Amino acid sequence: MNPVRLAAPALALSLALSGASASAQSLLSHDWLVLQPELGLSYANVVAVNNDGLFPSASTTSGFGPRFGVLAGMRFGPVTGGVRADLARYAAYDVGDAGLFVELRIPVPFIQPFGRVGAGYAWLGDLNPDPRYLACGATGSGASCPKVSGWFATVGGGLDLAISSHFTVGANLDVNFLNLTRAASPTSVMFSNTGDSVGLQVTLGLHAALRI
């Protein structure tokens, strides 16, 4: 029998077993620290789903802007958990959030798809009192906007490229659901009552992770 014909199936079997062994080792491995900065382009509209008096109906509450974030956690096999914080900047306001996340990935060599969910505290900062945006104080004596905060829930996913066992780069898509409440303001007739809303924030981002 031709030795080449015998060698080809043996080589294929060896490669398959090697790949299965590497995948099994990846599923059993862990990272004591995952540190991942993120940068992306984000769209937000804090009254996209519901606006129960959060801001005047004439306000411009949506827009695009940069989003910066970082997450830190630990990975055990396919599951990563930890904390995450983000800040996005828009013309009308900043959106900040901080909370917990859980990520499920397929830790195979090279390309690693993942999905994640999270939840935590969210707030609006640097609210723009300009009448073209939130119109804060437009009919009252105050020149600043009242405090707006609440909670968020997020769902997302993406792909990572494993550069080495300790370093990955990738891209992600995240959708935040924002449930926000505005405090009453004694300095503005327009905001004399409390208000709340349900909004959306969508981010397409890039990230790099150090895994130790």
Side-chain angles (χ1 to χ4, degrees), residues 168-195:
T168 58
V169 296
N172 56 279
L173 177 65
D174 292 293
V175 179
N176 273 12
F177 299 91
L178 304 166
N179 190 332
L180 301 171
T181 299
R182 174 184 52 74
S185 172
T187 62
S188 175
V189 175
M190 187 178 297
F191 296 113
S192 58
N193 296 319
T194 59

Side-chain angles (χ1 to χ4, degrees), residues 45-191:
N45 185 351
V46 295
V47 297
V49 180
N50 178 63
N51 181 17
D52 188 10
L54 185 75
F55 295 118
S57 58
S59 298
T60 300
T61 57
S62 63
F64 290 88
R67 188 178 183 191
F68 312 91
V70 62
L71 65 80
M74 301 174 66
R75 180 182 70 87
F76 294 93
V79 179
T80 302
V83 296
R84 182 181 179 187
D86 298 274
L87 178 66
R89 309 210 67 180
Y90 309 99
Y93 44 67
D94 294 347
V95 176
D97 62 70
L100 303 177
F101 77 93
V102 176
E103 185 177 279
L104 181 65
R105 68 174 48 239
I106 303 176
V108 295
F110 307 119
I111 300 295
Q112 302 178 354
F114 66 87
R116 62 187 177 196
V117 295
Y121 177 73
W123 68 93
L124 299 191
D126 196 23
L127 277 69
N128 193 338
D130 191 312
R132 292 173 298 174
Y133 297 104
L134 302 184
C136 298
T139 61
S141 58
S144 62
C145 296
K147 180 180 178 181
V148 178
S149 61
W151 58 266
F152 79 95
T154 186
V155 60
L159 291 172
D160 274 347
L161 175 63
I163 303 299
S164 72
S165 58
H166 297 295
F167 187 70
T168 58
V169 296
N172 56 279
L173 177 65
D174 292 293
V175 179
N176 273 12
F177 299 91
L178 304 166
N179 190 332
L180 301 171
T181 299
R182 174 184 52 74
S185 172
T187 62
S188 175
V189 175
M190 187 178 297
F191 296 113

